[in-house]
């Protein structure tokens, strides 16, 4: 088959191994349908994840509903939450389980305990160990404008026929 050595996250559900993810707190600033940042942030505590993806330019095979590259500063957040329905205490934090695809302006991911560390992958390179990361648009310190780069995408940028 032509999968280019990629596998579907759902394939992991059938594997028999003992994986204990560290609980992560995820806080983000959502955007509205026009890409404008909202004032109130959303905070999800103690999330056990199989996957977390943050991207500003969609790639083929991305899960969820990717952000449009023509909306500056919009980041696509996608998570795959491990079913923790046994833990009634955390049911109030089920937003990412029910709505795993979010469009955000900024996102903070941190471990519950500072001693717990995690790795991140950026452009196919692994970095870490981190206990906290913050992802946000880069702002030019002198002009206060968002820094951007023209990036080629195979997705339609505008709905022009």
């Amino acid at each position: 088959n032509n999968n280019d050595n990629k596998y579907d996250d759902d394939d992991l559900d059938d594997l028999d191994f003992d994986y204990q993810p560290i609980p992560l707190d995820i806080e983000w600033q959502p955007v509205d349908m026009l890409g404008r940042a909202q004032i109130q942030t959303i905070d999800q505590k103690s999330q056990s994840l199989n996957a977390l993806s943050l991207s500003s330019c969609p790639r083929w095979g991305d899960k969820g509903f990717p952000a449009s590259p023509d909306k500056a500063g919009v980041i696509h957040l996608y998570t795959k939450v491990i079913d923790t329905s046994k833990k009634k205490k955390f049911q109030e934090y089920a937003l990412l389980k029910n709505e795993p695809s979010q469009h955000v302006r900024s996102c903070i991911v941190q471990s519950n305990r500072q001693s717990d560390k995690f790795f991140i992958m950026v452009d196919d390179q692994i970095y870490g160990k981190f206990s906290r990361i913050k992802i946000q648009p880069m702002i030019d310190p002198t002009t206060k404008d968002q820094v951007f780069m023209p990036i080629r995408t195979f997705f339609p940028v505008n709905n022009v026929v």
Side-chain angles (χ1 to χ4, degrees), residues 10 24 28 35 44 46 52 60 74 83 101 104 113 119 134 159:
D10 295 331
L24 298 173
W28 69 90
Q44 298 284 279
S46 296
L52 182 141
W60 181 84
V74 177
D83 188 11
S101 188
V104 305
R113 296 182 304 229
F119 294 90
K134 181 175 184 178
N159 291 333

Side-chain angles (χ1 to χ4, degrees), residues 30-147:
V31 296
D32 65 12
M33 296 295 283
L34 298 175
R36 296 179 300 215
Q38 302 300 293
I39 294 171
Q40 184 156 351
T41 60
I42 299 174
D43 194 9
Q44 298 284 279
K45 300 280 188 194
S46 296
Q47 300 294 299
S48 296
L49 306 174
N50 271 341
L52 182 141
S53 170
L54 292 159
S55 64
S56 59
C57 187
R59 295 180 357 169
W60 181 84
D62 281 354
K63 301 264 186 188
F65 185 69
S68 177
D70 69 336
K71 290 191 175 134
V74 177
I75 302 167
H76 179 233
L77 165 67
Y78 178 80
T79 61
K80 181 161 180 165
V81 178
I82 295 173
D83 188 11
T84 57
S85 58
K86 298 172 220 152
K87 299 179 181 177
K88 303 261 186 216
K89 178 181 174 184
F90 296 114
Q91 283 187 349
E92 66 184 279
Y93 298 113
L95 176 63
L96 286 175
K97 183 173 192 265
N98 297 326
E99 298 178 37
S101 188
Q102 303 283 329
H103 288 182
V104 305
R105 175 60 43 104
S106 64
C107 183
I108 298 171
V109 179
Q110 64 185 11
S111 56
N112 283 127
R113 296 182 304 229
Q114 194 155 357
S115 61
D116 290 339
K117 307 288 185 191
F118 56 89
F119 294 90
I120 63 171
M121 182 181 288
V122 179
D123 294 333
D124 295 328
Q125 295 292 318
I126 295 177
Y127 299 92
K129 300 181 172 179
F130 300 102
S131 60
R132 181 180 190 273
I133 61 169
K134 181 175 184 178
I135 307 296
Q136 64 186 14
M138 185 174 167
I139 305 295
D140 184 321
T142 55
T143 65
K144 304 296 183 204
D145 292 333
Q146 178 182 326
V147 176

